[in-house]
Amino acid sequence: MSVSQAGTALCGGIDVGGTKIEAQLFGAGFAPLAKRRLPTSRGDFRDFMAVLAEQVEWIMAATPKAAPIGVALPGIVDPETGASTAANLPIGGRNVAAALRTRFGRDFAFLNDCSAFALSEARGGAGEGFETVLGLILGTGVAAGFCQRGAEAPGRLNRLAVEIGHVGISARALEGLNLPLIRCGCGRLGCYETYVAGPGLARLAEAGLGLRISGEELAAHPEGEAVLEIWADLAAEALDQARLLLDPQCVVLGGGLSRLPGVAERLAAALARRPLGDLRPPALRIATFGDASGGRGAAIHAGSLTP
Ligand SMILES: [Zn+2]
């Protein structure tokens, strides 16, 4: 699609993932105009930065000088040193923001990819109209972002996303399920992610049915319903803990598992089985922007920092 045909590009966002780096151009109101995907380099930091810089150049060529450009990164970016850490990228301890600044002579706005997801859904997405939005991604990993009044929640020590995937699963959630405690990729034992992310659902299917199948295959399997109910119950326990800590008005679900049939209804029902006084449940919605949310949220974040 030609950018000039679709409208004038005003800003850009880049979503950095383990397999691809996606750049997007946006017009007025963050309307998507064009996107471009490049494979993430599996080499070293220099190779990684070469692909990222190529995407920055593509956006800069289509936007006005000094247009807001945001970058969503998985993992943690130290708010004081800029040092980045992400399990699936060759950036450990390196300063991605400083490297881009040196190359282009200007600043770019960085934020965590789950925070970008939550921000994108809070601004014109499924969380529009709510003052607090938890954007929960249920995919190959599990993590969330938290937005207050349409902005990334300010003032956090490490600028962490809501790392609910690496919170230890509660004993009451496992009661009667006869499931083992599993060592997570992060090194800790019994993280929610090991049960509730995509590979976790496959693990539940194997434990319950003795079958090695995907989430989609499970949904179509005659005995898959029981496994999906256990998965929903464990996911709702994670959601309940996030709810008790953050009390969001709205929870937006994203990631591959959010596309399983009836996920919002399943989680709402499982959450209702965890009453505490007269707590009102948060609105549960499925993401509007899907995979585009990382780049869109990064662009919105960049725009909010530009005077
Ligand atoms: Zn973990």
Side-chain angles (χ1 to χ4, degrees), residues 19-300:
T19 56
K20 66 177 190 307
I21 298 180
E22 182 174 288
Q24 291 184 78
L25 293 169
F26 299 95
F30 299 99
L33 299 181
K35 68 179 172 189
R36 179 194 196 221
R37 287 181 173 183
L38 294 176
T40 308
S41 170
R42 302 209 175 274
D44 59 12
F45 182 68
R46 202 185 159 90
D47 299 332
F48 168 81
M49 287 304 301
V51 179
L52 180 56
E54 213 181 314
Q55 294 292 49
V56 170
E57 281 164 5
W58 182 74
I59 292 175
M60 287 178 75
T63 50
K65 195 171 185 300
I69 300 175
V71 182
L73 273 182
I76 302 166
V77 180
D78 187 304
E80 289 189 10
T81 67
S84 311
T85 311
N88 299 324
L89 300 173
I91 60 172
R94 303 296 292 267
N95 192 324
V96 180
L100 274 192
R101 190 186 308 123
T102 300
R103 176 154 182 162
F104 292 100
R106 53 157 290 181
D107 281 317
F108 301 89
F110 280 75
L111 82 169
N112 170 274
D113 58 352
C114 296
S115 300
F117 166 72
L119 183 55
S120 177
E121 292 298 331
R123 298 272 291 269
E128 176 70 40
F130 295 95
E131 284 193 74
T132 45
V133 175
L134 182 76
L136 176 63
I137 295 184
L138 300 164
T140 50
V142 170
F146 188 57
C147 278
Q148 289 175 282
R149 296 187 174 153
E152 190 188 12
R156 287 154 305 129
L157 180 60
N158 293 290
R159 216 177 153 202
L160 278 189
V162 180
E163 294 287 359
I164 188 70
H166 299 295
V167 170
I169 195 163
S170 64
R172 65 184 179 219
L174 287 182
E175 190 183 17
L177 289 181
N178 198 26
L179 290 168
L181 286 176
I182 296 149
R183 182 75 57 189
C184 179
C186 76
R188 296 183 176 192
L189 193 62
C191 292
Y192 273 109
E193 187 166 294
T194 63
Y195 301 92
V196 172
L201 176 57
R203 209 170 268 136
L204 295 180
E206 195 169 355
L209 303 175
L211 295 171
R212 287 174 181 258
I213 54 177
S214 70
E216 293 75 28
E217 290 166 336
L218 188 67
H221 191 278
E223 294 171 66
E225 181 62 25
V227 177
L228 284 175
E229 273 304 299
I230 290 172
W231 173 83
D233 204 61
L234 298 180
E237 183 72 10
L239 180 54
D240 186 42
Q241 294 198 1
R243 175 262 292 265
L244 292 176
L245 296 172
L246 295 165
D247 195 18
Q249 293 176 349
C250 177
V251 176
V252 181
L253 305 172
L257 297 182
S258 73
R259 292 191 280 272
L260 288 172
V263 157
E265 293 75 15
R266 275 183 207 279
L267 288 183
L271 203 56
R273 294 194 290 271
R274 293 164 166 78
L276 188 68
D278 294 322
L279 285 187
R280 284 187 291 275
L284 267 174
R285 306 272 163 85
I286 302 296
T288 302
F289 297 107
D291 293 342
S293 269
R296 187 174 178 276
I300 292 171

